[in-house]
Amino acid sequence: MSNDFAKAIKERRSFYGISKTPVISDDKIIELVNQAVKYSPSSFNSQSARVLVLLNDQHDKFWDITTEILRKMVPADSFGPTNEKMQSFRNGQGTVLFFEDQKVVEGLQNQFPSYADNFPLWSLQSSGMLQFVVWTSLEAEGLGASLQHYNPLVDEHVQAEWNIPSTWKLIAQMPFGKPTADPGEKTFQPLEERVKIAK
């Protein structure tokens, strides 16, 4: 494993303190996401991953929508921490929304019925790899990001606001921006308890 790759993996962390101050251009962000979507692996080369990159005002709009949805669900007298969390994500430069196209997944289930039960799982595994690639790519450029899951609460609103096909299933949301605070300390379980080696 090259030093650069190992360094990128180690430095990929969850950054919750982020700002809108540009670190790289919007075009560079789009380039990184396009590269990740193109080259991240998928089962049977299905390429079922779909993304929506929200920048600037569109990014703000997503977190405004999410905030109002949660405001209707969380008691007013305890909404303060939730509102602060939403604002921390809104403070960023953009958000990447990750989807999996269920039309592709169902097509594979019909084409290979003996594997039908596995394709939804493999789809999620592919999405996880794409999320990791995007996350690591953004942080390698000096951005901070975290992974959030406000689906399915926001699904219908996202489909309506950004004309998302109904077959695109929302999996996760990744707000990113210039880091304004270091991530929390991370501890590790002993590798001897997690890795077995047979020679």
Side-chain angles (χ1 to χ4, degrees), residues 42-172:
S42 59
S43 64
F44 287 64
N45 194 31
S46 60
Q47 302 178 56
S48 56
R50 306 288 184 264
V51 301
L52 170 63
V53 182
L54 299 174
L55 299 168
N56 308 310
D57 292 346
Q58 297 302 304
H59 156 82
D60 291 348
K61 182 183 293 185
F62 172 78
W63 291 107
D64 288 343
I65 289 171
T66 306
T67 299
E68 293 312 308
I69 291 172
L70 293 173
R71 192 187 304 276
K72 297 174 182 177
M73 302 176 63
V74 179
D77 58 356
S78 58
F79 187 68
T82 299
N83 190 55
E84 289 178 8
K85 180 183 289 188
M86 293 301 101
Q87 187 60 49
S88 73
F89 301 143
R90 191 183 189 277
N91 287 341
Q93 181 180 358
T95 300
V96 181
L97 273 59
F98 297 90
F99 305 80
E100 282 289 307
D101 192 341
Q102 299 308 294
K103 182 178 180 179
V104 174
V105 176
E106 291 168 6
L108 288 167
Q109 289 177 306
N110 293 330
Q111 188 176 356
F112 302 100
S114 59
Y115 298 124
D117 291 342
N118 290 326
F119 282 115
L121 175 61
W122 291 341
S123 167
L124 292 176
Q125 292 172 347
S126 296
S127 181
M129 288 187 280
L130 173 59
Q131 293 161 33
F132 174 78
V133 172
V134 172
W135 197 342
T136 306
S137 298
L138 291 173
E139 295 200 1
E141 295 290 336
L143 290 156
S146 66
L147 194 66
Q148 305 302 319
H149 301 89
Y150 290 98
N151 45 293
L153 297 176
V154 299
D155 290 19
E156 292 184 1
H157 299 269
V158 169
Q159 288 181 3
E161 185 65 38
W162 288 285
N163 195 29
I164 299 299
S166 61
T167 59
W168 289 23
K169 182 179 180 180
L170 184 59
I171 305 297

Side-chain angles (χ1 to χ4, degrees), residues 13-14 182-188:
R13 297 292 309 281
S14 293
D182 292 332
E185 181 180 356
K186 187 173 185 178
T187 59
F188 298 91

